[in-house]
Amino acid sequence: MNTSAMQLTLFTISEPNRFNIIELLKQGSRSVSDIVEILGIGQPQVSRHLRILSEAGLVKVRKNAQQRIYSLEAQPFQELDVWFDSFSRLWEERLDKFEDYMSDFNGKGS
């Protein structure tokens, strides 16, 4: 994922209602009316947030008769996962070095 796409993804999901919509869609596809009912916010707001999420490439929509059914696009979240994982590796390396230091320190103190 390029930096600007990642920034757009993080910026987009940083808004609380959009974050809550993403959390709902992690559980499976949902219609706009389901999201409205569960989150307790108005249909125009939900539709606006879904449009923004869609434009950012985070959700996809399919029509089912008169309903629009939304689901998550996996790729942007997989790319974020890889990016976040790079921080895990960084901390693991640092913690391993700290553990080695503490072992050496405790060994010298005996």
Side-chain angles (χ1 to χ4, degrees), residues 73-90:
E73 278 288 354
Q75 183 179 357
F77 296 100
Q78 291 167 340
E79 291 169 351
L80 277 178
D81 186 49
V82 168
W83 185 68
F84 284 125
D85 189 50
S86 69
F87 290 99
S88 296
R89 286 192 302 276
L90 173 71

Side-chain angles (χ1 to χ4, degrees), residues 51-98:
R51 180 180 46 79
I52 292 168
L53 289 166
S54 180
E55 289 172 356
L58 302 175
V59 299
K60 57 187 171 189
V61 61
R62 66 179 167 79
K63 284 185 128 182
N64 183 14
Q66 297 295 349
Q67 287 188 319
R68 293 184 184 275
I69 308 297
Y70 287 83
S71 58
L72 292 180
E73 278 288 354
Q75 183 179 357
F77 296 100
Q78 291 167 340
E79 291 169 351
L80 277 178
D81 186 49
V82 168
W83 185 68
F84 284 125
D85 189 50
S86 69
F87 290 99
S88 296
R89 286 192 302 276
L90 173 71
W91 279 107
E92 287 173 12
E93 289 173 14
R94 289 183 178 181
L95 289 172
D96 287 346
K97 288 178 183 178
F98 181 68

